[in-house]
Amino acid sequence: MPRRPRRLLTPYGFLLPFLIPFVLFTLVPVGYAFWQSLHRTERTGGTFGRTHSVFAGFEQYADVVREPFFADSLLRVGGFALVQIPVMLLLALVLALLLDSAVARLKRFFRLVYFVPYGIPGVVAALMWAFLYDPRLSPLVDLLKSAGADIDPLGPGLVLWSIGNVVTWTYTGYNMLILYSALQALPTDVTEAARVDGAGGWTVAWRVKVPLIRPALVLTGVFSVIGTFQLFTEPQVFRSISTSVTSTYTPNIAAYSLTAGDHYSQAAALSVLLATVTFVLSFAFLRLTARRQR
């Protein structure tokens, strides 16, 4: 093969380890879900007759959008994202700045401590927090009741924020590690120049370091938006111990419930709609942050 065509093909060879799994495990399932969402299952010959797939166009999408749970679950997750994501990213940023400060000690130890919750499987973490939330078992709830605060973390008014606490506890360390890595990559002469000019530690952190790691903040923000609209594990675990979490509490749980009820076409339509909403919000977030940066 001539040298020039070989040189042109070299980048694609490096991309193959990513492209092959991406196509097989992302594009193909999404394409199949979209195809399935355009069909519905019909039965011929009575109750024990045969079933066959019939093209229905966007009928399944219209049925899903008309369902009351569709708007309710999206608004619930949207409100959750507006509160939980800023709180989580602010905590992650503060922890990363503390670890990156010159006076920090035992950096490796605390970096590991902050990251450990992310290493715990989501189901295990949710079960652990469910024990701490359950009024019948939790020593913390008993302690609060003895202090005169009669609260139910699994009640209708608090269960969403109880889930938010679990998500924040799990993913703050993960985002902290991304931000801390970005801080470690900053050139030292920039911060040293700021200190020579008389800037204190607080000023260097918020006026110098934070603007320089804005791309990492945007990256963690996009990841958080995508993850929030895929919220499933924590509410699904809480559903087994709290009546406040229903089978349509989040869009992902609603899609799972439709699948369990053999409504595969509607579940596929809901999944495609959820993917579209997530893509639009992530793209809007990227455009907004890019415009503010300019």
Side-chain angles (χ1 to χ4, degrees):
M1 181 181 292
R3 181 173 298 180
R4 184 175 179 82
R6 184 182 302 174
R7 186 180 302 172
L8 293 175
L9 293 175
T10 299
Y12 297 99
F14 286 104
L15 288 174
L16 279 179
F18 163 76
L19 289 176
I20 293 175
F22 179 72
V23 170
L24 291 179
F25 302 111
T26 300
L27 294 184
V28 171
V30 169
Y32 177 70
F34 179 69
W35 177 86
Q36 194 173 30
S37 69
L38 299 177
H39 295 74
R40 69 171 184 269
T41 302
E42 290 186 352
R43 185 182 300 274
T44 58
T47 305
F48 300 100
R50 300 178 60 182
T51 60
H52 62 281
S53 180
V54 178
F55 181 77
F58 291 96
E59 178 182 330
Q60 305 294 336
Y61 291 90
D63 292 341
V64 168
V65 171
R66 283 196 294 264
E67 292 287 347
F69 72 79
F70 178 74
D72 292 342
S73 61
L74 277 182
L75 289 175
R76 184 178 294 112
V77 172
F80 178 89
L82 287 176
V83 177
Q84 189 270 332
I85 292 177
V87 170
M88 178 180 63
L89 294 185
L90 179 61
L91 286 174
L93 178 61
V94 170
L95 293 177
L97 289 171
L98 288 175
L99 283 179
D100 189 61
S101 64
V103 297
R105 297 292 182 267
L106 301 174
K107 293 185 179 182
R108 290 184 179 180
F109 171 75
F110 285 108
R111 190 166 66 236
L112 178 63
V113 169
Y114 297 150
F115 187 74
V116 161
Y118 179 73
I120 299 175
V123 174
V124 176
L127 287 172
M128 180 183 68
W129 279 100
F131 167 77
L132 295 175
Y133 288 150
D134 194 335
R136 300 165 296 180
L137 305 171
S138 173
L140 295 180
V141 174
D142 290 339
L143 183 63
L144 290 173
K145 285 184 178 180
S146 63
D150 189 8
I151 63 173
D152 181 8
L154 298 177
L158 291 177
V159 67
L160 183 62
W161 309 118
S162 298
I163 294 171
N165 178 62
V166 180
V167 175
T168 302
W169 178 82
T170 302
Y171 291 99
T172 295
Y174 170 79
N175 291 299
M176 178 276 301
L177 198 62
I178 296 176
L179 299 177
Y180 179 70
S181 300
L183 288 169
Q184 291 290 290
L186 294 179
T188 57
D189 54 350
V190 176
T191 56
E192 290 175 357
R195 291 191 178 94
V196 170
D197 290 338
W202 179 268
T203 304
V204 171
W206 294 102
R207 296 293 182 88
V208 178
K209 292 182 178 181
V210 172
L212 289 176
I213 64 168
R214 185 171 295 177
L217 285 169
V218 172
L219 177 67
T220 54
V222 172
F223 284 169
S224 300
V225 170
I226 295 173
T228 298
F229 279 87
Q230 294 177 349
L231 189 64
F232 178 82
T233 302
E234 293 81 7
Q236 181 68 9
V237 172
F238 282 16
R239 182 184 167 195
S240 62
I241 61 173
S242 174
T243 57
S244 302
V245 181
T246 64
S247 60
T248 57
Y249 197 73
T250 67
N252 252 354
I253 292 181
Y256 173 77
S257 301
L258 288 171
T259 303
D262 293 335
H263 301 290
Y264 296 106
S265 298
Q266 287 189 352
L270 178 56
S271 300
V272 173
L273 286 173
L274 179 59
T276 304
V277 170
T278 305
F279 170 78
V280 170
L281 291 177
S282 302
F283 182 75
F285 179 79
L286 282 173
R287 291 297 300 270
L288 178 63
T289 52
R291 182 177 300 177
R292 292 188 64 180
Q293 188 172 1
R294 288 197 297 267

